[in-house]
Amino acid sequence: MNSFVVLPEAFSHEERIPSHVDQLVKVEPLLEQVAKRAGLSEERRPLFVVAITEAIANAILHGNRQDVSKQVQLRFSYDPARRVLAVEVEDEGLGFDPTALPDPTEEENLLRESGRGIFLMRNLADAMEYKKGGRCVELRFFL
């Protein structure tokens, strides 16, 4: 008997959220829904949620500096032909140079309170790219 795998259909979705840390918990159900709709495995969904939550936290805390008059834009897209789920997280801040960040795995940085979010994002996503002078990060997950 032959079995066929039915791939999810292409989709895109945009969402804007206020720059307040309470949004991190509120956005998790949306992230779960997007991951499930794209067909991300149950094992990878928590990793997806952590990576995107880190990106949103960075946009709120560092990009928009928790200025509630600013927003974070989320753009989700799934391309079944390429089997890739892409997420862009864009803030309204000034941007930054991601190559200028210290390596959180170096001994002098191990006990720092911050600096591991980008490291996590880079290691949990299959691909990561900064755009717009560091104001936007795109994370891609291959299915």
Side-chain angles (χ1 to χ4, degrees):
M1 176 192 275
N2 289 334
S3 62
F4 295 93
V5 175
V6 178
L7 295 176
E9 292 183 22
F11 68 84
S12 63
H13 176 76
E14 290 190 27
E15 191 92 19
R16 287 186 169 273
I17 61 170
S19 289
H20 195 282
V21 291
D22 69 355
Q23 295 299 309
L24 295 173
V25 173
K26 293 178 180 179
V27 79
E28 283 183 17
L30 171 65
L31 300 178
E32 287 281 349
Q33 180 183 13
V34 166
K36 188 174 183 177
R37 183 173 176 191
L40 206 58
S41 71
E42 285 189 40
E43 295 80 28
R44 290 192 66 202
R45 284 182 208 155
L47 305 177
F48 171 82
V49 171
V50 168
I52 304 306
T53 301
E54 284 292 337
I56 296 168
N58 283 348
I60 291 170
L61 297 170
H62 304 295
N64 291 344
R65 303 198 184 278
Q66 298 187 69
D67 180 346
V68 293
S69 71
K70 295 181 179 180
Q71 295 187 325
V72 175
Q73 180 160 358
L74 309 174
R75 288 182 291 275
F76 303 94
S77 63
Y78 173 68
D79 180 348
R82 292 179 36 219
R83 298 195 66 191
V84 63
L85 172 59
V87 182
E88 288 185 346
V89 178
E90 184 175 344
D91 62 58
E92 297 180 38
L94 300 174
F96 76 108
D97 178 3
T99 64
L101 296 173
D103 182 348
T105 63
E106 291 182 3
E107 188 172 344
E108 65 269 14
N109 299 323
L110 291 177
L111 299 177
R112 290 184 61 196
E113 289 185 29
S114 65
R116 288 175 282 286
I118 292 174
F119 177 80
L120 279 171
M121 292 161 43
R122 197 175 306 277
N123 284 281
L124 295 176
D126 294 312
M128 186 171 105
E129 177 184 356
Y130 278 96
K131 304 174 179 182
K132 300 182 180 183
R135 289 184 25 249
C136 180
V137 63
E138 180 182 34
L139 296 120
R140 291 183 297 278
F141 298 82
F142 305 121
L143 285 79

